[in-house]
Amino acid sequence: MTYRVAMDIGGTFTDVVAYDEAHGTYVAAKAPTTPGDLAEGVFTALERVVDDLMAISFFVHGTTQGLNALLERKGARMLLLMSEGMRDVYHIARGNRDRMFDLHYRKPVPLVERQATTEVGGRLDWKGEELRPLDEAAVRSAARRARDEGCTAVAVSFLFSYVNPAHELRAGEILAQELDDDVMIVLSHQVASEWREYERTSSAVLDAYTGPVVRRYLGRIEERFAERGLGVPVQIMQSSGGVVNADFARRNPLQTLLSGPVGGTMGGVAAAALLGRPNAICIDMGGTSFDVSLVLHGRPDISNEGVADGFPVLMPLVNLHTIGAGGGSIATAEAGGLRVGPESAGAVPGPACYGRGGTAPTVTDANVVLGRVDPDWFAGGHMTLDVAAAHRAVGVLADRLGMDTEALAHGICQVANAKMAQAIRTLTVEHGLEPREFTLLAFGGAGPMHAAEIARELGVEEIVVPRFPGAFSAWGMLGTEVRRDFTRQFFTPGDALDSTAMAGALGALETQALDALGEQGVPGERRRIEHAVDMRYQGQDYTLTVPLEAADEPLREGFLAQAAARFAALHEQRYGHATPEAPVEFVTLRTTGFGALPEAAPAPYTPQRGADPGAGHTKSVRFGGTSYKTPVLRRERLASGEQFAGPAIVVEATSTIVVPPDATVAVDSHGFLIMKLGGTA
């Protein structure tokens, strides 16, 4: 027996899914994350799904190590090298305000202090031609400073390096000669080979700041796996939704920034295809955070640039909106009112009901008080919850606010649901998308508990809870592809387009992508290429990415008119208007190489039957201001085609599904639960 295994290491739980290649069956499990030594939680989770690590034929995992280092400001001590006269580019940043009406808005504090930024002589012009040679003595001086100050990373961002990287490459060679091997050297053109000086510098800084943390983590994980007998390469999920091997991730750690939550989006793409629902809102509620992403027309919603904790980053990444709302989010009294999150109880001590010393009331404690969790069969029976501790924790806060304990528990859930609904509006309503036209795909350990009330807030009528929702991000990683992205600037007005030059540039990018897939071990028959070009109307500042059919499409008759028409259609879709007769210009060429992994052939879903003492009982559950006698069902015993009405609590190994009184549920042929709500707005 051999297994394909995927793992998502979250702030509270480590989730794992194993696919048995011989029988086509899946098994999922959870184990508490161990912040002091992540490998301990990893192996605990693995042992619950695989008996012999040598039987693992493929292993992929998502990590939030880089993101956590950024959010907690525990990244590398670093030095930033800039072109002479451009020292303050990173600190000046942009003059725009992201939140126009926020009177307390402040730009994020830069990750590199101004005094840790040094200028280096030498200059290229906008065409990449050398105006002044690189000041190599200044680079060596900067290297000595980095060594003396104990820096573990150095970032280099020179003007126009995306056109001609010669100066950055030479600076990198000198730094490598002068510094120890464990000092990370980041060259901006290798992180983001695109225009916009500040954004490219920010991307390089983020890579250098988080890189050493990610490198150390990957090194430890691979070392521990080798000690335990895992003989296959470790694969890492990228922010773009593709996977790469650990060696590439070590050299390009920024690509893993959103590694964990992106697996859920890719699972959403696979689930949407199975269900025949091309548009889905993916909600992932774990113990610490709540992540929202979209599936649009059957594809993940991916941008070529984004923002990480306030800092711009130039790389393909799934559009994710994350807030501090999870099962471990702590409820507090503030100015006489109730506040939930963003502070979390995490894995240690965790919610009060975990019995690990936590005393602060959390969202999970509120659900326990309301009866929406089976305390004797939590996390697949691996944990027994302390109901009395949950009541005590919520009760202390209820006394402070002059409320009944159950009423406050309901209020905690309502506040959390409102915050999560607003997070969804950020990716939908604020971009001209109507949530009612989407299916809500709920996963994460706590997502299915809150999905119905979140959907009600948004007017969404249908909720889908996939199999293994608490480990769905891991499940999604098993079905993704190897992905490598390449870009090249190509500034030219449409009426001056050199079609031969564009086709040649796209052909060169395609060769790069195919070679990169080969380096990742993808055989030729499993490789495919997609091309696109960033376009805009002349006079515009920002662009839209227009797909191309092939590298040689620019050579075809009528290409300019066809590209302009595609751009106009995208402009209409995004902004609600277009000007088809206006002249366009091309900005950036983009080529993406995909490598298909061996396709899983899952066996048909079959329920487990037989006597089970954990099923068939009822309990009192509070919905709104009313308590209902509610059946507790074991999900693995529900057969395809089975239907039931709420209220109900459905328990399984990785999550709990709360079905309100006005809902109905059907089990489809894949074992997914399709919940329909009554009375949505």
Side-chain angles (χ1 to χ4, degrees):
M1 295 175 64
T2 56
Y3 299 90
R4 295 174 60 188
V5 177
M7 181 174 290
D8 178 26
I9 305 172
T12 305
F13 282 100
T14 294
D15 308 321
V16 61
V17 173
Y19 170 70
D20 183 337
E21 294 182 307
H23 300 93
T25 56
Y26 291 94
V27 61
K30 301 173 76 71
T33 296
T34 49
D37 180 7
L38 290 175
E40 181 182 340
V42 166
F43 288 116
T44 299
L46 276 175
E47 288 166 1
R48 293 177 179 175
V49 295
V50 179
D51 294 329
D52 180 9
L53 294 184
M54 293 294 290
I56 297 176
S57 63
F58 174 82
F59 180 83
V60 59
H61 85 295
T63 173
T64 56
Q65 288 297 292
L67 182 61
N68 291 344
L70 171 63
L71 296 177
E72 298 170 10
R73 295 299 189 268
K74 294 181 179 179
R77 180 180 178 85
M78 59 179 294
L79 193 67
L80 174 61
L81 276 59
M82 301 288 292
S83 295
E84 189 175 38
M86 306 302 291
R87 177 182 181 184
D88 293 316
V89 162
Y90 180 64
H91 286 262
I92 293 173
R94 295 293 179 191
N96 59 301
R97 289 171 61 108
D98 291 331
R99 298 188 296 275
M100 289 293 294
F101 303 104
D102 184 353
L103 298 179
H104 303 287
Y105 172 75
R106 295 290 185 274
K107 288 194 290 189
V109 177
L111 300 175
V112 183
E113 296 180 351
R114 186 174 186 273
Q115 51 266 42
T117 304
T118 185
E119 296 184 352
V120 174
R123 182 62 65 90
L124 304 174
D125 68 9
W126 66 276
K127 294 179 289 185
E129 296 176 0
E130 187 175 80
L131 299 177
R132 296 197 306 275
L134 178 69
D135 184 349
E136 297 190 2
V139 178
R140 295 188 188 279
S141 175
R144 289 193 294 273
R145 178 183 173 187
R147 186 171 55 247
D148 294 342
E149 295 181 1
C151 294
T152 55
V154 178
V156 182
S157 183
F158 293 157
L159 283 175
F160 305 113
S161 61
Y162 61 87
V163 180
N164 179 0
H167 281 189
E168 282 196 356
L169 290 170
R170 179 55 185 153
E173 291 174 356
I174 295 170
L175 292 169
Q177 294 168 4
E178 298 286 335
L179 297 172
D180 295 337
D181 291 341
D182 59 352
V183 177
M184 184 171 177
I185 299 167
V186 175
L187 308 180
S188 72
H189 77 276
Q190 293 177 345
V191 178
S193 186
E194 299 184 38
W195 70 320
R196 299 188 187 280
E197 194 68 20
Y198 166 59
E199 286 78 2
R200 180 162 49 85
T201 301
S202 173
S203 301
V205 168
L206 282 166
D207 199 35
Y209 186 75
T210 62
V213 174
V214 176
R215 282 184 168 185
R216 287 194 298 271
Y217 163 75
L218 291 175
R220 286 197 304 269
I221 287 290
E222 285 193 302
E223 182 179 328
R224 296 288 295 274
F225 277 11
E227 292 173 356
R228 298 288 291 267
L230 182 69
V232 297
V234 175
Q235 305 287 332
I236 309 296
M237 194 74 186
Q238 296 183 97
S239 301
S240 62
V243 299
V244 289
N245 59 36
D247 182 61
F248 177 84
R250 269 195 300 271
R251 290 182 280 111
N252 301 270
L254 186 62
Q255 299 288 340
T256 71
L257 196 64
L258 303 177
S259 175
V262 163
T265 309
M266 301 313 295
V269 172
L274 288 174
L275 295 165
R277 291 161 173 80
N279 298 316
I281 299 170
C282 302
I283 62 168
D284 181 0
M285 184 181 179
T288 307
S289 63
F290 176 78
D291 303 310
V292 185
S293 58
L294 301 179
V295 177
L296 299 174
H297 310 296
R299 297 172 66 94
D301 180 24
I302 295 178
S303 292
N304 292 312
E305 58 183 285
V307 177
D309 201 29
F311 300 103
V313 55
L314 292 177
M315 67 176 183
L317 73 173
V318 170
N319 282 325
L320 275 167
H321 185 59
T322 302
I323 62 171
S329 293
I330 295 173
T332 56
E334 184 174 293
L338 177 64
R339 180 184 181 92
V340 180
E343 185 182 356
S344 173
V348 179
C353 61
Y354 284 9
R356 296 174 182 156
T359 57
T362 67
V363 173
T364 297
D365 293 314
N367 278 302
V368 170
V369 169
L370 295 172
R372 298 179 182 179
V373 179
D374 186 350
D376 300 321
W377 212 79
F378 189 74
H382 292 287
M383 291 180 67
T384 299
L385 300 183
D386 188 337
V387 177
H391 276 269
R392 284 195 300 271
V394 176
V396 169
L397 182 58
D399 291 341
R400 288 183 59 188
L401 294 172
M403 297 179 66
D404 172 77
T405 299
E406 288 193 349
L408 177 62
H410 178 63
I412 290 172
C413 291
Q414 281 187 308
V415 171
N417 292 336
K419 288 178 63 176
M420 291 184 283
Q422 184 55 41
I424 293 172
R425 293 187 186 100
T426 300
L427 282 190
T428 54
V429 176
E430 293 184 14
H431 289 79
L433 301 173
E434 174 53 65
R436 289 180 177 86
E437 298 174 359
F438 287 73
T439 291
L440 189 69
L441 186 67
F443 51 94
M449 295 175 65
H450 292 259
E453 296 307 320
I454 294 171
R456 201 183 309 280
E457 286 256 355
L458 298 167
V460 175
E461 297 181 355
E462 183 181 70
I463 301 156
V464 173
V465 182
R467 294 182 68 192
F468 320 118
F472 187 70
S473 289
W475 183 84
M477 295 176 197
L478 287 177
T480 188
E481 299 176 293
V482 175
R483 175 172 175 150
R484 292 291 305 275
D485 294 274
F486 298 88
T487 62
R488 179 176 296 184
Q489 295 303 141
F490 196 84
F491 292 104
T492 183
D495 55 10
L497 174 63
D498 184 338
S499 298
T500 302
M502 179 182 278
L506 287 168
L509 290 175
E510 181 167 327
T511 299
Q512 279 185 268
L514 291 171
D515 290 345
L517 292 175
E519 293 171 3
Q520 295 287 312
V522 179
E525 66 273 12
R526 291 184 182 164
R527 304 175 198 170
R528 64 184 177 87
I529 301 295
E530 291 185 1
H531 298 284
V533 59
D534 288 357
M535 296 177 63
R536 63 187 180 187
Y537 289 124
Q538 287 187 20
Q540 282 187 324
D541 188 20
Y542 287 88
T543 62
L544 292 174
T545 301
V546 178
L548 300 177
E549 294 178 1
D552 64 354
E553 188 182 359
L555 300 176
R556 301 175 189 174
E557 185 177 352
F559 166 72
L560 179 59
Q562 293 169 10
R566 289 179 211 161
F567 171 74
L570 287 172
H571 202 281
E572 176 77 32
Q573 178 182 323
R574 177 67 181 272
Y575 300 111
H577 67 90
T579 313
E581 68 277 6
V584 298
E585 56 188 6
F586 301 93
V587 177
T588 306
L589 303 178
R590 302 188 182 277
T591 296
T592 302
F594 295 94
L597 296 171
E599 188 173 353
Y605 168 71
T606 54
Q608 297 177 11
R609 295 295 184 182
D612 192 330
H617 65 281
T618 61
K619 65 196 305 283
S620 177
V621 180
R622 181 162 172 162
F623 293 94
T626 306
S627 293
Y628 293 81
K629 186 177 181 181
T630 303
V632 179
L633 309 175
R634 287 283 287 271
R635 181 172 183 176
E636 67 270 22
R637 298 184 64 193
L638 299 174
S640 297
E642 195 164 336
Q643 299 185 29
F644 59 92
I649 302 296
V650 183
V651 297
E652 60 167 287
T654 66
S655 186
T656 298
I657 301 103
V658 174
V659 183
D662 63 339
T664 57
V665 175
V667 185
D668 80 349
S669 59
H670 308 289
F672 290 10
L673 303 186
I674 313 296
M675 188 188 308
K676 300 281 189 178
L677 291 181
T680 51

